[in-house]
Amino acid sequence: MSNVRYILLITLIVGLVPGTVFAGDATMDAIGSRAAAVAMDHLTSAQGNENMLAMTDAGAVMFGNQTTERCLKGVTTVSGCSIGDGNLLMPQRSKFSPLWFFFYRKDTGEAVFLQVKPEAVEKSPEEIKALPPDRVFGIIAKERIDAEYLLANQSAWTGMLGKKVFGGNEFSLITIANMWAEPGTPYDFLRAASFHNHLCPGVSSGYLISRYVEERLPIESPSQSYKVIACPVWCKDDLFPVIWDATPGKKSLFVKDLSAAEKEALKKSTGGTDVAGIYVRWDTTTNTGDGLVVGYNWSRSNELTGTADWKGDPALAKLVMDLELITYRDRPEEMVTTIREFRCEDPNDFAALACAGVNPLKVLGVEA
């Protein structure tokens, strides 16, 4: 075997061995470590600080064929933040997005955002460690972002969003960070917000809907699972793939939007409650399902969260609503109601609701 063929063979074998670390992986590790070190210096924080949250789109972003998940190792090693401790979150982003890191101290309300320069990923680990921070990160921004401060200084909120101090990720990072800092926030809710890549009342409404459905149609055996017909569609529907594993590919999430006129007509027919989808507890043993058409009352939601007559920035009102709505997680019936109960006696009954070209609400008799 020639030397050239031997080298090619070894390269192929190494590339197929799980866990193999390439030079690019070592650089990613160094970038994550450097980001954590710079941020902790700005925030005067030590490793393992329980008040610290780290967020990053590492793991989603790619540079050509180079993946970035090794950055997470660097972040955890230096900061102590980890998935297991619930203080390392990874908001979903496209593989083509810029690579960034975000660190938040909930006891001081201060946060640091760092966005990696594309050319930095071509450096060696030694260069990443030795270069000045501004040669590795194109954006290094420190701001106070806790909800108490922002509510008292709304110009700071609008200024951050207007100037895009966090590279255009301001709403996403500020909302998720403040929800993480709220005592008792469930981790499954944070996972859903991360998947949606920001937190808004739409996601919060989905969480309340899920709790409502789970109370009324509880999963009682391994043969049971939920099927969702998202009709009409809003941000709530990004929650169900995360907490129920209901996905289009597994034929357990069907997305069917309605026109603005259809939505308004439905709302009038239900006395001001917005129809919020169709939820079926399906049993694969009997091939039958019990279903609910659910409504969500946004007027009641605004009333209970104190945002009905909000005079400030609309985006900040969303943060206020989210922080209040999560306190109703054990009382979802305050805003969520049953509009119609039904049963699917066989798969054809469900198919009649899920098939293309069908308005499932009309099939179920829910219409203006």
Side-chain angles (χ1 to χ4, degrees):
M1 180 182 294
S2 69
N3 287 339
V4 173
R5 291 178 62 192
Y6 178 76
I7 291 172
L8 289 173
L9 178 61
I10 293 299
T11 300
L12 177 61
I13 292 173
V14 169
L16 294 175
V17 175
T20 301
V21 178
F22 298 94
D25 291 325
T27 293
M28 293 302 165
D29 193 335
I31 288 174
S33 297
R34 190 69 192 282
V38 171
M40 291 170 70
D41 182 57
H42 279 279
L43 297 172
T44 58
S45 179
Q47 183 189 46
N49 186 341
E50 63 181 10
N51 292 303
M52 182 76 79
L53 167 69
M55 284 195 276
T56 177
D57 61 357
V61 174
M62 294 180 65
F63 294 89
N65 292 323
Q66 175 64 54
T67 58
T68 56
E69 73 282 353
R70 289 277 296 192
C71 293
L72 301 171
K73 179 181 179 182
V75 168
T76 296
T77 300
V78 174
S79 71
C81 297
S82 69
I83 294 173
D85 286 328
N87 60 350
L88 173 58
L89 300 175
M90 292 165 285
Q92 182 62 35
R93 290 293 189 272
S94 160
K95 64 187 286 187
F96 307 109
S97 299
L99 177 62
W100 52 257
F101 302 86
F102 175 85
F103 297 83
Y104 174 57
R105 275 192 65 166
K106 66 180 179 181
D107 55 338
T108 66
E110 294 180 325
V112 170
F113 175 86
L114 308 100
Q115 185 167 296
V116 178
K117 287 187 170 183
E119 58 267 28
V121 303
E122 300 173 2
K123 306 292 185 182
S124 69
E126 293 72 26
E127 289 176 305
I128 295 296
K129 295 175 184 177
L131 286 170
D134 61 1
R135 293 281 303 279
V136 180
F137 306 104
I139 301 176
I140 304 176
K142 179 181 177 181
E143 300 285 349
R144 184 171 175 184
I145 65 158
D146 59 288
E148 182 179 2
Y149 171 76
L150 294 176
L151 286 169
N153 301 272
Q154 292 195 34
S155 60
W157 165 273
T158 55
M160 282 187 283
L161 269 62
K163 295 176 183 177
K164 297 185 177 181
V165 293
F166 297 156
N169 299 286
E170 299 76 28
F171 183 80
S172 172
L173 299 177
I174 293 172
T175 53
I176 295 176
N178 274 284
M179 185 56 70
W180 169 83
E182 190 71 12
T185 298
Y187 183 68
D188 60 342
F189 181 59
L190 292 172
R191 285 183 62 231
S194 297
F195 176 73
H196 190 62
N197 88 29
H198 67 261
L199 183 55
C200 63
V203 176
S204 297
S205 70
Y207 193 69
L208 296 180
I209 290 166
S210 74
R211 298 289 290 255
Y212 182 90
V213 172
E214 289 167 12
E215 288 176 3
R216 283 148 183 80
L217 297 175
I219 298 298
E220 298 172 326
S221 74
S223 64
Q224 294 179 338
S225 62
Y226 293 117
K227 292 181 181 289
V228 179
I229 301 178
C231 181
V233 180
W234 72 72
C235 301
K236 61 179 169 56
D237 302 307
D238 279 353
L239 182 120
F240 305 115
V242 176
I243 65 168
W244 287 347
D245 192 32
T247 68
K250 291 189 283 290
K251 297 183 178 179
S252 49
L253 175 61
F254 301 82
V255 180
K256 298 186 172 191
D257 207 4
L258 301 176
S259 69
E262 288 173 318
K263 293 176 187 177
E264 189 59 30
L266 275 172
K267 189 170 183 176
K268 289 179 180 178
S269 70
T270 57
T273 293
D274 287 274
V275 175
I278 300 168
Y279 305 87
V280 178
R281 180 185 61 190
W282 190 261
D283 194 315
T284 55
T285 299
T286 62
N287 267 333
T288 61
D290 297 297
L292 299 174
V293 178
V294 163
Y296 188 85
N297 193 322
W298 282 106
S299 296
R300 179 66 171 157
S301 186
N302 288 325
E303 176 188 334
L304 291 173
T305 59
T307 56
D309 298 313
W310 183 261
K311 298 298 191 297
D313 183 85
L316 188 56
K318 293 180 179 180
L319 174 58
V320 173
M321 285 188 72
D322 287 321
L323 293 173
E324 290 296 323
L325 286 175
I326 196 62
T327 66
Y328 288 90
R329 58 187 175 273
D330 295 324
R331 294 175 290 158
E333 63 279 356
E334 291 282 355
M335 282 150 279
V336 187
T337 56
T338 296
I339 293 174
R340 182 65 52 85
E341 297 182 36
F342 65 94
R343 181 166 173 80
C344 295
E345 296 294 348
D346 57 49
N348 289 329
D349 284 350
F350 184 79
L353 303 173
C355 286
V358 172
N359 182 333
L361 296 171
K362 288 188 175 182
V363 173
L364 292 170
V366 182
E367 54 185 314

